[in-house]
Each structure stands twice: as structure tokens, then as C-alpha cells.
Amino acid sequence: MIEVVGLEKIYSAGNVATPVLKGIDFHIDRGEYVAIMGTSGTGKSTLMNILGCLDKPTAGRYLLDGTDVGSLDDDALSHLRNRKIGFVFQQFHLLERATAMRNVMLPLIYADEYPEDAEERAERALAAVGLADREQYRPNELSGGQQQRVAIARALITDPEIILADEPTGALDRKSGLEVMAIFKKLHRQGRTIILVTHDRAVAENAQRIIVLEDGKVAEDGAVGSQRDPDLELERLGTGEDKR
Ligand SMILES: Nc1ncnc2c1ncn2[C@@H]1O[C@H](COP(=O)(O)OP(=O)(O)OP(=O)(O)O)[C@@H](O)[C@H]1O
Ligand SMILES: [Mg+2]
């Protein structure tokens, strides 16, 4: 579903060129759950922006479902993005003055065609992340974990095949982080492809596979021996069995 070949990204500012991605190759199948790790500044977000069709590589190829993304113009790119990809970020990027409902409906408002059942879809998406009772709350009336769940509901509203999450637990406490990971687990079970960036090895072990970037290249790419179970960890946390 996702294939990158010799992917490179060089940022140019004035006459200074900064090479960030220096030849990345991998293949991600439909329905895979992959974590991307690597030290700060190594190009994880840069790679995610390219995978999410928000940015184009300087060299190399990115094939999304067989389409060479590099050959698309901006309109075609944003069309592909809106149809296939849902984003979740570390800082939730919610509109402060809009209710949870309104925030979740935003991608539909920007869609090619506004669906008649937008409100019902938003209600369902909020219910799916356990926030049916918070529809009319604004971001500053929600906890960080709840805000991130609104952001996930917003990512789900267009029913994307691929979820790209850049440090989705980075701003959350452990319990809220586990709740978010439990939602990702559910989305993966539904057959979605999930690509998650994290600094935290424990978070990465929720995935089936970990790709480690180092100095703009793939340093490691391997299967996770035994995937963590966020539901189980939440249960332990609830019973006080887990003192961490
Ligand atoms: N728009 C940009 N213009 C110029 N340089 C950029 C731009 N975006 C990122 N960079 C540079 O690219 C490098 C990689 O940045 P990137 O955000 O991809 O790292 P990261 O791995 O996501 O780091 P972190 O873990 O801190 O989020 C950094 O050195 C950064 O300064
Ligand atoms: Mg980053």
C-alpha cells in the first residue's frame, strides 16, 4: 500500500541546503501497524509529512496504492490526502473556539462534498473514542487526553484507510496515553493501516513493527516480538497492580 524508494528530502533556506532524509526504503502493507522511532531531528516528522502527502520528497519515489505521489499536482495531492489519510499530532491542533462536535466535523467541511449525515458521523466518531457525553465541550473544557481523543475522532470522520500519528501520546500522562493507544489498537483491528511516531520504546511496542531512523536513514526495521496490550495495562493501572 505504501512504498518508498530512495526517498530523500533536502530543505533549502536561502543558499543553505539541509539534507534530512538521505535515501529511505521501505514497504508497508495494508493493515500493518508500524512505529517509527529515532532521536530528535532525525527526520521523523519530515517523513510523516511526505507519507501524509503534506510535502513532497526532493528525490526518490513514494507510491501510495500504486500512485506515484510525486507526479501529482497540489489539487490531486490534497484530494488523495483527504480521501485516504487521517492525521493525529502531538499538539492536538483543535480549534479553541469550536465545540468537540464542530472540531470533528471540520474535515467534512473541507471535503469535496459535504455529506448530509455529517452530524451523525461526528456523533459516531466521538462515541467511538468514548466522548459521546462531551459533544458540546470546547477544548479548554476537556483534559489533554480527551482533547487527543477529539483529534482522533476528527481523523476518523472521513473513514481513512491510513492513520498517521506523530507523537500522539507525547503530551499526555501515562493513563491518557494508554487510552489513546487502546483506541489505535481498535482501529488496527478494524483493518486500518497505522503509522505512529514515538520517542518511547514502550509506546512503539504497541505496533507490530518498528522502523528506527538514524541520521536520515533506516537503521533498523523489524518485527516486535510481543505486542503490548494497552487494555491490559489500563486494567492493571486501575487495580493498582501496576505501581509505575
Ligand atoms: N520546514 C523546514 N525547513 C527547514 N528545515 C526543516 C524544516 N522542517 C524540518 N527541518 C529540519 O529537518 C530536520 C528534521 O526535522 P524533523 O521535524 O523531521 O525531525 P523529528 O525527527 O521529527 O524530530 P523530533 O523528534 O524533535 O520531532 C531538523 O534538523 C529540522 O531543523
Ligand atoms: Mg517530529
Side-chain angles (χ1 to χ4, degrees):
M1 146 166 267
I2 284 175
E3 189 173 4
V4 297
V5 185
L7 202 70
E8 293 179 28
K9 180 72 186 179
I10 302 174
Y11 287 113
S12 309
N15 50 11
V16 187
T18 314
V20 177
L21 303 179
K22 304 175 183 172
I24 304 241
D25 301 273
F26 58 70
H27 185 110
I28 295 176
D29 284 329
R30 187 179 304 274
E32 260 196 279
Y33 188 172
V34 180
I36 298 178
M37 298 190 71
T39 49
S40 184
T42 198
K44 303 180 298 296
S45 296
T46 299
L47 176 61
M48 290 292 261
N49 287 342
I50 293 172
L51 295 180
C53 303
L54 290 167
D55 199 0
K56 285 185 184 180
T58 313
R61 299 212 308 161
Y62 170 25
L63 299 174
L64 177 55
D65 273 344
T67 302
D68 187 343
V69 171
S71 69
L72 301 178
D73 62 21
D74 287 352
D75 272 357
L77 206 60
S78 71
H79 183 73
L80 189 68
R81 178 169 65 232
N82 293 341
R83 206 158 38 87
K84 281 200 182 286
I85 297 165
F87 290 95
V88 180
F89 302 96
Q90 175 171 358
Q91 308 300 337
F92 326 118
H93 294 311
L94 299 175
L95 286 186
E96 284 303 322
R97 287 192 314 202
T99 60
M101 268 294 276
R102 185 84 188 156
N103 267 291
V104 171
M105 284 165 64
L106 277 182
L108 298 180
I109 293 165
Y110 293 120
D112 299 334
E113 218 174 299
Y114 184 75
E116 255 174 47
D117 62 343
E119 288 202 12
E120 291 90 275
R121 281 167 67 172
E123 282 168 5
R124 259 185 277 135
L126 278 170
V129 297
L131 290 176
D133 56 348
R134 293 290 189 274
E135 286 174 6
Q136 298 309 319
Y137 284 55
R138 290 189 165 73
N140 68 353
E141 298 162 337
L142 296 166
S143 73
Q146 289 169 337
Q147 289 181 58
Q148 190 60 300
R149 285 189 276 147
V150 172
I152 295 172
R154 180 186 57 191
L156 291 176
I157 192 82
T158 53
D159 195 23
E161 289 169 55
I162 305 173
I163 309 271
L164 297 179
D166 195 346
E167 291 279 4
T169 62
L172 304 180
D173 63 38
R174 178 140 186 272
K175 178 159 182 278
S176 307
L178 285 170
E179 285 167 356
V180 162
M181 295 318 293
I183 294 171
F184 283 137
K185 176 182 155 188
K186 194 169 81 180
L187 297 175
H188 176 234
R189 289 234 169 118
Q190 291 170 354
R192 291 179 216 266
T193 308
I194 300 180
I195 307 178
L196 164 103
V197 165
T198 179
H199 280 106
D200 187 340
R201 175 69 55 179
V203 171
E205 285 171 354
N206 284 273
Q208 300 169 305
R209 168 180 168 198
I210 300 179
I211 295 175
V212 181
L213 294 189
E214 228 173 75
D215 191 27
K217 290 191 174 149
V218 174
E220 281 173 48
D221 183 350
V224 172
S226 71
Q227 261 179 285
R228 281 178 172 259
D229 182 349
D231 292 306
L232 194 66
E233 288 178 58
L234 275 169
E235 214 172 283
R236 288 201 186 120
L237 207 60
T239 58
E241 200 183 308
D242 181 326
K243 297 280 186 246
R244 266 196 298 164

